[in-house]
Amino acid sequence: MPVQTTQYKLPKNMRFCCDDFIKDSIQFLRKQRKKRNARKLIVGLSGGIDSAVVAILCKKAVEQDVIAVFMPSSTTSTHSLEDAVDLAKAFDIELEHISIAPYDILFREQNPNITPLKVGNFCARLRMTMLYNFASMQKGIVIGTSNKSELMLGYGTIFGDLGYAINPIGGLLKTQIFALAHALKVPESIIAKPPSADLYPNQSDEKELGFSYAQIDPLLVAITKKYGNFQKPKNYKHLEKKYFKEFNTALVDMVLTRIKSNLFKHERPSVFDPRI
């Protein structure tokens, strides 16, 4: 059964104006497109809520100059394809279909003892490779679809779904994404699905994390208020539980552990400079 969307209502202490955000994000996308001299905005459309929201924002920003790309693996469900197609039709977004299934199958054959997680990471990186190749042919830029909750928790694949050029929703928590999806009139079939990275069959974000985003997001707000910008790894190297005693202990342990263990995903590559 799909998780009920009431579970993702914004916590009372989180204020968010969808109309203001939509207006500002549209301006952000237009400015970035002009700055980067891009003809098209390229979005990987998975059939999930985050990419749906991003695709619609891009459509509002550049009209016909957005292309969504659906890239199923050998384990992608038919429901994901149906949702991606329905969204593209509803909002008149051009949709391309590039299957990564042959590469996925070959990777499994070459690595018979591989774990589902590693296959998922391979597929995430392959999808981003495909997106960048497609974007280069269209003289476009790749738009990211990771939200703030995922980014803070490190819930993404480095050089995979975290490898985009720009991201209009990286400052929004997952619960805010649900509010925005309703405002943008994302189809209910997409909104009602349990959040999933779709890295392998029956994968669920909240099953893996052990808590719902409705529980996680208020803690992420408190952490951000205490430690500042999550995109600056040095701010988060010394997280302490004592500042978050009003939250469930197991929740705090999980969130702080994930944040600290995934800080490397926010760091730029180290380059040796011999100062010649």
PDB file of all heavy atoms in Angstrom, residues 209-211 219 241 247-257:
ATOM      1  N   LEU A 209      16.165   3.982   6.276  1.00  0.00           N
ATOM      2  CA  LEU A 209      16.544   4.959   7.290  1.00  0.00           C
ATOM      3  C   LEU A 209      15.989   4.607   8.661  1.00  0.00           C
ATOM      4  O   LEU A 209      16.568   4.967   9.692  1.00  0.00           O
ATOM      5  CB  LEU A 209      16.052   6.354   6.876  1.00  0.00           C
ATOM      6  CG  LEU A 209      16.688   6.934   5.610  1.00  0.00           C
ATOM      7  CD1 LEU A 209      15.957   8.197   5.182  1.00  0.00           C
ATOM      8  CD2 LEU A 209      18.165   7.229   5.845  1.00  0.00           C
ATOM      9  N   GLY A 210      14.840   3.933   8.684  1.00  0.00           N
ATOM     10  CA  GLY A 210      14.234   3.551   9.958  1.00  0.00           C
ATOM     11  C   GLY A 210      13.289   4.579  10.528  1.00  0.00           C
ATOM     12  O   GLY A 210      12.680   4.359  11.583  1.00  0.00           O
ATOM     13  N   PHE A 211      13.158   5.710   9.857  1.00  0.00           N
ATOM     14  CA  PHE A 211      12.276   6.789  10.305  1.00  0.00           C
ATOM     15  C   PHE A 211      11.648   7.463   9.087  1.00  0.00           C
ATOM     16  O   PHE A 211      12.194   7.409   7.983  1.00  0.00           O
ATOM     17  CB  PHE A 211      13.050   7.834  11.122  1.00  0.00           C
ATOM     18  CG  PHE A 211      13.610   7.312  12.406  1.00  0.00           C
ATOM     19  CD1 PHE A 211      14.883   6.751  12.448  1.00  0.00           C
ATOM     20  CD2 PHE A 211      12.868   7.364  13.579  1.00  0.00           C
ATOM     21  CE1 PHE A 211      15.406   6.253  13.629  1.00  0.00           C
ATOM     22  CE2 PHE A 211      13.382   6.868  14.771  1.00  0.00           C
ATOM     23  CZ  PHE A 211      14.653   6.307  14.792  1.00  0.00           C
ATOM     24  N   LEU A 219      14.421  17.520  12.752  1.00  0.00           N
ATOM     25  CA  LEU A 219      15.762  17.396  13.328  1.00  0.00           C
ATOM     26  C   LEU A 219      16.793  18.030  12.398  1.00  0.00           C
ATOM     27  O   LEU A 219      17.713  18.720  12.853  1.00  0.00           O
ATOM     28  CB  LEU A 219      16.104  15.924  13.564  1.00  0.00           C
ATOM     29  CG  LEU A 219      17.542  15.627  14.033  1.00  0.00           C
ATOM     30  CD1 LEU A 219      17.886  16.399  15.302  1.00  0.00           C
ATOM     31  CD2 LEU A 219      17.728  14.121  14.242  1.00  0.00           C
ATOM     32  N   LYS A 241      25.325  15.222  20.146  1.00  0.00           N
ATOM     33  CA  LYS A 241      23.945  14.845  20.444  1.00  0.00           C
ATOM     34  C   LYS A 241      23.305  15.715  21.519  1.00  0.00           C
ATOM     35  O   LYS A 241      22.089  15.859  21.565  1.00  0.00           O
ATOM     36  CB  LYS A 241      23.891  13.381  20.889  1.00  0.00           C
ATOM     37  CG  LYS A 241      24.270  12.389  19.808  1.00  0.00           C
ATOM     38  CD  LYS A 241      23.983  10.959  20.245  1.00  0.00           C
ATOM     39  CE  LYS A 241      24.926  10.532  21.351  1.00  0.00           C
ATOM     40  NZ  LYS A 241      24.718   9.101  21.706  1.00  0.00           N
ATOM     41  N   PHE A 247      14.617  15.374  20.712  1.00  0.00           N
ATOM     42  CA  PHE A 247      14.296  14.407  19.669  1.00  0.00           C
ATOM     43  C   PHE A 247      14.564  12.980  20.139  1.00  0.00           C
ATOM     44  O   PHE A 247      15.329  12.753  21.077  1.00  0.00           O
ATOM     45  CB  PHE A 247      15.121  14.690  18.406  1.00  0.00           C
ATOM     46  CG  PHE A 247      14.815  15.996  17.749  1.00  0.00           C
ATOM     47  CD1 PHE A 247      15.564  17.135  18.046  1.00  0.00           C
ATOM     48  CD2 PHE A 247      13.771  16.107  16.847  1.00  0.00           C
ATOM     49  CE1 PHE A 247      15.281  18.356  17.443  1.00  0.00           C
ATOM     50  CE2 PHE A 247      13.483  17.321  16.230  1.00  0.00           C
ATOM     51  CZ  PHE A 247      14.235  18.448  16.538  1.00  0.00           C
ATOM     52  N   ASN A 248      13.932  12.032  19.486  1.00  0.00           N
ATOM     53  CA  ASN A 248      14.132  10.624  19.768  1.00  0.00           C
ATOM     54  C   ASN A 248      15.614  10.271  19.675  1.00  0.00           C
ATOM     55  O   ASN A 248      16.288  10.627  18.701  1.00  0.00           O
ATOM     56  CB  ASN A 248      13.319   9.797  18.753  1.00  0.00           C
ATOM     57  CG  ASN A 248      13.527   8.305  18.890  1.00  0.00           C
ATOM     58  OD1 ASN A 248      14.539   7.765  18.466  1.00  0.00           O
ATOM     59  ND2 ASN A 248      12.570   7.635  19.499  1.00  0.00           N
ATOM     60  N   THR A 249      16.122   9.578  20.669  1.00  0.00           N
ATOM     61  CA  THR A 249      17.556   9.273  20.738  1.00  0.00           C
ATOM     62  C   THR A 249      18.038   8.450  19.559  1.00  0.00           C
ATOM     63  O   THR A 249      19.099   8.728  18.966  1.00  0.00           O
ATOM     64  CB  THR A 249      17.889   8.522  22.037  1.00  0.00           C
ATOM     65  OG1 THR A 249      17.504   9.322  23.167  1.00  0.00           O
ATOM     66  CG2 THR A 249      19.389   8.240  22.135  1.00  0.00           C
ATOM     67  N   ALA A 250      17.261   7.432  19.194  1.00  0.00           N
ATOM     68  CA  ALA A 250      17.650   6.590  18.059  1.00  0.00           C
ATOM     69  C   ALA A 250      17.645   7.393  16.761  1.00  0.00           C
ATOM     70  O   ALA A 250      18.506   7.193  15.889  1.00  0.00           O
ATOM     71  CB  ALA A 250      16.702   5.398  17.944  1.00  0.00           C
ATOM     72  N   LEU A 251      16.705   8.314  16.629  1.00  0.00           N
ATOM     73  CA  LEU A 251      16.647   9.176  15.440  1.00  0.00           C
ATOM     74  C   LEU A 251      17.890  10.053  15.364  1.00  0.00           C
ATOM     75  O   LEU A 251      18.518  10.167  14.311  1.00  0.00           O
ATOM     76  CB  LEU A 251      15.393  10.050  15.494  1.00  0.00           C
ATOM     77  CG  LEU A 251      15.294  11.175  14.454  1.00  0.00           C
ATOM     78  CD1 LEU A 251      15.204  10.594  13.045  1.00  0.00           C
ATOM     79  CD2 LEU A 251      14.083  12.063  14.743  1.00  0.00           C
ATOM     80  N   VAL A 252      18.249  10.657  16.483  1.00  0.00           N
ATOM     81  CA  VAL A 252      19.426  11.527  16.523  1.00  0.00           C
ATOM     82  C   VAL A 252      20.685  10.734  16.184  1.00  0.00           C
ATOM     83  O   VAL A 252      21.535  11.187  15.405  1.00  0.00           O
ATOM     84  CB  VAL A 252      19.577  12.192  17.903  1.00  0.00           C
ATOM     85  CG1 VAL A 252      20.894  12.979  17.988  1.00  0.00           C
ATOM     86  CG2 VAL A 252      18.401  13.124  18.177  1.00  0.00           C
ATOM     87  N   ASP A 253      20.815   9.545  16.760  1.00  0.00           N
ATOM     88  CA  ASP A 253      21.986   8.709  16.483  1.00  0.00           C
ATOM     89  C   ASP A 253      22.093   8.390  14.995  1.00  0.00           C
ATOM     90  O   ASP A 253      23.177   8.481  14.396  1.00  0.00           O
ATOM     91  CB  ASP A 253      21.904   7.404  17.278  1.00  0.00           C
ATOM     92  CG  ASP A 253      22.176   7.605  18.757  1.00  0.00           C
ATOM     93  OD1 ASP A 253      22.780   8.641  19.116  1.00  0.00           O
ATOM     94  OD2 ASP A 253      21.785   6.731  19.556  1.00  0.00           O
ATOM     95  N   MET A 254      20.968   7.999  14.394  1.00  0.00           N
ATOM     96  CA  MET A 254      20.974   7.643  12.977  1.00  0.00           C
ATOM     97  C   MET A 254      21.345   8.835  12.106  1.00  0.00           C
ATOM     98  O   MET A 254      22.212   8.729  11.231  1.00  0.00           O
ATOM     99  CB  MET A 254      19.591   7.111  12.561  1.00  0.00           C
ATOM    100  CG  MET A 254      19.495   6.643  11.109  1.00  0.00           C
ATOM    101  SD  MET A 254      19.223   7.962   9.869  1.00  0.00           S
ATOM    102  CE  MET A 254      17.543   8.463  10.262  1.00  0.00           C
ATOM    103  N   VAL A 255      20.701   9.969  12.345  1.00  0.00           N
ATOM    104  CA  VAL A 255      20.920  11.148  11.505  1.00  0.00           C
ATOM    105  C   VAL A 255      22.344  11.667  11.642  1.00  0.00           C
ATOM    106  O   VAL A 255      23.021  11.935  10.636  1.00  0.00           O
ATOM    107  CB  VAL A 255      19.908  12.255  11.844  1.00  0.00           C
ATOM    108  CG1 VAL A 255      20.293  13.574  11.172  1.00  0.00           C
ATOM    109  CG2 VAL A 255      18.509  11.839  11.400  1.00  0.00           C
ATOM    110  N   LEU A 256      22.832  11.813  12.861  1.00  0.00           N
ATOM    111  CA  LEU A 256      24.183  12.329  13.056  1.00  0.00           C
ATOM    112  C   LEU A 256      25.237  11.387  12.486  1.00  0.00           C
ATOM    113  O   LEU A 256      26.237  11.833  11.900  1.00  0.00           O
ATOM    114  CB  LEU A 256      24.450  12.594  14.538  1.00  0.00           C
ATOM    115  CG  LEU A 256      24.163  14.034  15.017  1.00  0.00           C
ATOM    116  CD1 LEU A 256      22.716  14.417  14.768  1.00  0.00           C
ATOM    117  CD2 LEU A 256      24.509  14.191  16.490  1.00  0.00           C
ATOM    118  N   THR A 257      25.025  10.100  12.642  1.00  0.00           N
ATOM    119  CA  THR A 257      25.963   9.118  12.095  1.00  0.00           C
ATOM    120  C   THR A 257      26.003   9.202  10.571  1.00  0.00           C
ATOM    121  O   THR A 257      27.084   9.203   9.968  1.00  0.00           O
ATOM    122  CB  THR A 257      25.572   7.689  12.515  1.00  0.00           C
ATOM    123  OG1 THR A 257      25.651   7.583  13.941  1.00  0.00           O
ATOM    124  CG2 THR A 257      26.507   6.660  11.882  1.00  0.00           C
TER     125      THR A 257
END
